[in-house]
Amino acid sequence: MEEHSETAPELAGRRLKLRALRQEDSGALLHCWSHPEAAYWLGIKPLVSKAEAEELIRLLLEMEREEESLRWSIELTSGEVIGSCGYNNWQLTGAFRGEVGCELSPAFWGQGYMREALTLALRYGFEEMKLNRVEAQCLPANLRSGRMFASLGFRREGTLREYRHTPSGFQDVDLYALLRRDWRDL
């Protein structure tokens, strides 16, 4: 039986759609997760096999079943999967806060695909999940991601010092946040 998401709704954009993460995406996502530069920005050791990608997808789907994560595959209108995005965690009771995460195969960087994908995910987060605040984290040196978050209305709130432990040691991350009231103004 093919393992796939039971809760991630399909969201359609102009050039892509967000659809449920599936085990059959492991080959395409391995291209992203195994690329040294993409893995560096994610703070992970590059994956080296399709089996590792399948295991990561299995883990993400398990977290989704436990309502700790909601992840979509980013699929072009051609059917090609080029990355993933979604909510790494959220808190609906009380805080109504979520954290968005994303990655894209480097061949597709700088073409506006992630901005389009996150626009869909943010709309879902604010309208359907009823989030009040969405946070994003990126390395201070990841200027491209920082500019993208700013273009979506996120504000940089500061640097979390040595926040992440990675294969290369502790890393600072910049914290960005977008409030529902600011999103509505876009």
Side-chain angles (χ1 to χ4, degrees):
M1 186 166 127
E2 187 69 29
E3 189 173 14
H4 63 277
S5 169
E6 296 176 13
T7 58
E10 188 170 295
L11 307 174
R14 187 174 60 81
R15 302 180 297 161
L16 57 82
K17 68 179 174 183
L18 302 183
R19 62 144 175 87
L21 190 64
R22 301 179 195 143
Q23 280 294 341
E24 66 194 47
D25 299 335
S26 61
L29 291 174
L30 177 61
H31 287 292
C32 180
W33 296 333
S34 66
H35 191 281
E37 193 173 0
Y40 174 79
W41 295 126
L42 290 169
I44 63 170
K45 190 172 117 187
L47 302 188
V48 296
S49 70
K50 190 173 177 183
E52 285 182 329
E54 289 169 348
E55 178 59 22
L56 183 52
I57 290 171
R58 188 200 62 71
L59 177 65
L60 290 168
L61 291 172
E62 179 63 29
M63 290 172 65
E64 185 174 317
R65 280 190 286 281
E66 294 172 7
E67 295 186 352
E68 294 176 8
S69 174
L70 179 61
R71 200 79 174 178
W72 289 277
S73 286
I74 301 170
E75 183 179 286
L76 298 179
T77 54
S78 67
E80 182 178 7
V81 173
I82 62 171
S84 76
C85 70
Y87 291 94
N88 295 333
N89 58 59
W90 60 82
Q91 183 178 4
L92 297 178
T93 305
F96 293 92
R97 180 183 60 79
E99 177 189 305
V100 72
C102 56
E103 71 277 336
L104 199 62
S105 291
F108 299 94
W109 290 359
Q111 300 173 47
Y113 290 116
M114 189 54 75
R115 188 179 196 288
E116 183 175 344
L118 286 179
T119 298
L120 296 170
L122 290 168
R123 182 177 303 125
Y124 183 80
F126 287 124
E127 292 180 358
E128 302 302 323
M129 295 171 71
K130 305 300 184 197
L131 297 174
N132 182 60
R133 175 185 168 92
V134 176
E135 298 173 350
Q137 299 172 7
C138 71
L139 297 178
N142 193 343
L143 302 178
R144 183 187 305 257
S145 287
R147 285 191 304 266
M148 179 197 58
F149 289 128
S151 77
L152 289 165
F154 283 78
R155 293 185 188 172
R156 183 181 169 280
E157 294 188 335
T159 300
L160 304 172
R161 298 178 323 135
E162 296 185 3
Y163 187 76
R164 245 193 238 166
H165 186 263
T166 71
S168 60
F170 289 100
Q171 292 178 328
D172 295 348
V173 296
D174 283 346
L175 176 65
Y176 290 81
L178 176 62
L179 301 179
R180 174 193 299 270
R181 69 174 183 247
D182 298 329
W183 173 74
R184 288 184 178 166
D185 293 337
L186 295 178

